[in-house]
Structure formats: structure tokens, C-alpha cells
Amino acid sequence: MDQADYQPDDEADYQGLLERIAADVAPLIGSGTPAEYIPALASVDPRRFGMAVADLDGTVYGVGDWRQPFSAQSVTKVFALALALSLDGNALWERVGREPSGNPFNSLVQLEYENGIPRNPFINAGALVVTDRLQTLTGDASSELLEFLRAESGNPDLAFDQDVAASEGEHGDRNAALAHFMASYGNIANPVPILLDHYFWQCSIMTSCADLALAARFLARHGLRADGSRLLTRSEAKQVNAVMMTCGTYDAAGEFAYRVGLPGKSGVGGGIVAIVPGRCTLCVWSPGLDSRGNSVAGVAALDRFTTLTGLSVF
């Protein structure tokens, strides 16, 4: 059944809706493969599944493993971008683009003929530039990001995972190559080893679906933080959502827009955050990834959400 069951103006029996979605995608849970190139992630049980929805007022609903912490990985790039924009404004866009890459998230291909300027802030090269700028602006990029996530999620216990950060550092040659290559073009300001440390710590932050759905509400609230203060202008919040829509799921962004129809950002830990501007935020987690690094069951669950509710940006 499609939209007849859940009308968009029905403030939603979100709990019943989430339970319906979990049942619908149950055959897909366990499909795909956890991120094998990061040993600390490879051992995560691919049969885990959680999903949460947060209203604008902070009421959160969930199903499955929605309170189980997992490695946020690239989902944190959204929050790093928002922090950098709040401090740096449009100057940030002089160092990183806003176009889809069409290449894998850790690709080196485009950097040389685009003079060390990454296509967007969500591929690894672009995220390194954002973290580099945040490090310059704050002096401690990863800690600033962690404190921001703690404040917006209301969870003071959010923390880095030392094992994940160490695992990424031990297997981070491609990210080091990206950073050194951009530094050769003058697009990295901080020493590369320091930048990489902050980047790996950033990606290692452990969060749950509830945490991330709550933390992302400022993008559904047009830039307003949980305490009512303004982090981003309405225009900047629109910009972040737009880049999420076009670039947030790497070289599968077109497929994600086609199926889900929401701004979203995935991570190889199996999490995906999605935004319904002016209405709610979602986070889904299931560690089994497809060939492009996106959660198989997670994408399917978000697809079901927008199909059943009609809540998409289209």
C-alpha cells in the first residue's frame, strides 16, 4: 500500500509507521556487507537495524536498535560543514565545491585537473578541507564537533571510539594521499598529520539513531539550534540541505533522490540521516552496505517512509 495509509498532514502515528516500515524491510536486513576496509567496522553484526524520527520540538520515536550507538563515520560531515559555515560563511566555498562528484567517496581522480579543489564537502577530499578549515577556526576541530553533537542531541555521553579512530589511522593511506595532494595546491592550511587525526576522531564518534535524528533538527528548523539560537541563516540551511540532496550519498545521490526524495547523508557505519524541512528529521542504521557504501536496509526504509507518508521535497 502507498500513501493512502498515512496522510502527510497526519502528525503521524510515527510509532506505528516505524513499526510498519521495520516489518516491510525485514527481508533486507542483513543484506550487504559492513565496511571491510576499516577492521573495527567489519565485525559489526549486519543484522542490526534501527530507525528514529524526531519532531521539530524534540519528541523522538524509534524502532529496533534505535538507541544502540554506532560509528557515525561520514554522517558527521554534515555537522562539520554546518559548524564551518556558521563560522566562515561563504568563504568556505572558495575551497570546496558544491557539485556531485560521480566518483567513489575516496577518489583521487578529479583533484588534479581541478587544481586541488574537491567537488563537494561530502566526499573525503572535501570533508578534509572542511575539517582543516574548522581546525583553523577553532583550534580543536574534533572536540568542537563532539560538543556540538552533544548539545544538539541532548546526550552529554556521546564520545569518540578510540578503537575505530586507531583502525582508521592504521588504514588511512588514501585519506593521507588526498590531504597531501591538496596541500601541494595550497588548499590545506594545517599540518597533514594533525588534520588526519582530527578527521579520524571526527568519523569515530559513536551515536545512535535517536542522537542523530535529534542533532540534525537544525536543518529541518531552517538553521535554529535546539536551544532556539540561530546556527545558520535560512539560506545557509537551505544550502546544506541542497548539497545533501545532490552529494550526500556519494555516487548514488541520483538513485537516493529518485527513491527517497529527501536531503540525506550516509556513512559507512551504516547510518543515514535525512531531513524533511519544516517537519521532522530521520535517522536509520543498518550496517550492511551496498557497493557504493550506503546501507541497503537503510535506503529501503527511507524509501518506505516517503512512499507511505508523501513527505518528500518533491
Side-chain angles (χ1 to χ4, degrees):
M1 296 182 186
D2 285 346
Q3 296 163 350
D5 285 352
Y6 296 94
Q7 295 302 318
D9 294 331
D10 189 4
E11 195 43 54
D13 169 21
Y14 278 132
Q15 192 61 47
L17 174 61
L18 292 174
E19 291 169 4
R20 163 83 177 271
I21 291 169
D24 287 349
V25 304
L28 293 174
I29 298 171
S31 300
T33 306
E36 294 179 333
Y37 63 95
I38 302 173
L41 300 182
S43 61
V44 178
D45 184 354
R47 293 168 296 181
R48 306 300 292 268
F49 174 85
M51 188 173 184
V53 177
D55 278 341
L56 298 186
D57 66 3
T59 303
V60 62
Y61 308 82
V63 69
D65 299 311
W66 66 296
R67 291 197 179 277
Q68 172 65 39
F70 61 90
S71 185
Q73 291 294 311
S74 288
V75 177
T76 61
K77 295 174 182 177
V78 172
F79 302 96
L81 173 62
L83 276 179
L85 274 177
S86 74
L87 297 170
D88 211 22
N90 284 332
L92 180 68
W93 299 120
E94 297 173 7
R95 298 181 54 188
V96 62
R98 301 184 292 271
E99 297 295 331
S101 69
N103 285 307
F105 57 84
N106 58 357
S107 173
L108 285 149
V109 170
Q110 290 167 325
L111 279 176
E112 184 164 16
Y113 61 80
E114 295 183 348
N115 299 313
I117 304 295
R119 275 288 177 99
N120 66 69
F122 296 149
I123 56 174
N124 286 15
L128 285 163
V129 168
V130 171
T131 299
D132 177 66
R133 189 63 188 144
L134 197 56
Q135 177 65 15
T136 297
L137 293 166
T138 68
D140 191 347
S142 55
S143 293
E144 285 288 327
L145 180 61
L146 179 61
E147 289 305 318
F148 176 67
L149 286 168
R150 286 172 172 170
E152 296 307 294
S153 68
N155 183 356
D157 296 326
L158 293 186
F160 302 115
D161 186 310
Q162 185 171 353
D163 291 339
V164 171
S167 183
E168 294 208 49
E170 291 166 4
H171 298 83
D173 291 339
R174 179 65 66 94
N175 286 317
L178 290 166
H180 282 293
F181 192 80
M182 291 186 293
S184 75
Y185 282 94
N187 202 23
I188 296 294
N190 293 280
V192 168
I194 292 175
L195 166 60
L196 291 172
D197 279 348
H198 281 279
Y199 181 70
F200 295 145
W201 283 115
Q202 168 187 318
C203 290
S204 79
I205 295 174
M206 298 293 289
T207 57
S208 68
C209 292
D211 295 325
L212 287 173
L214 288 167
R217 282 184 303 139
F218 69 93
L219 289 171
R221 287 159 52 95
H222 308 296
L224 291 182
R225 296 187 59 168
D227 64 4
S229 64
R230 183 163 290 282
L231 176 73
L232 301 175
T233 66
R234 289 182 69 97
S235 180
E236 288 168 338
K238 177 193 72 176
Q239 292 165 4
V240 174
N241 280 326
V243 178
M244 288 174 72
M245 174 65 82
T246 58
C247 308
T249 48
Y250 311 119
D251 52 335
E255 178 72 9
F256 188 82
Y258 176 83
R259 290 185 62 185
V260 176
L262 294 174
K265 182 71 196 83
S266 61
V268 297
I272 308 174
V273 162
I275 312 298
V276 185
R279 186 65 178 266
C280 64
T281 54
L282 304 100
C283 182
V284 61
W285 171 59
S286 190
L289 309 179
D290 62 22
S291 61
R292 291 168 169 175
N294 299 311
S295 171
V296 174
V299 173
L302 293 171
D303 182 355
R304 291 302 290 153
F305 178 88
T306 55
T307 298
L308 289 167
T309 64
L311 290 174
S312 85
V313 300
F314 301 112

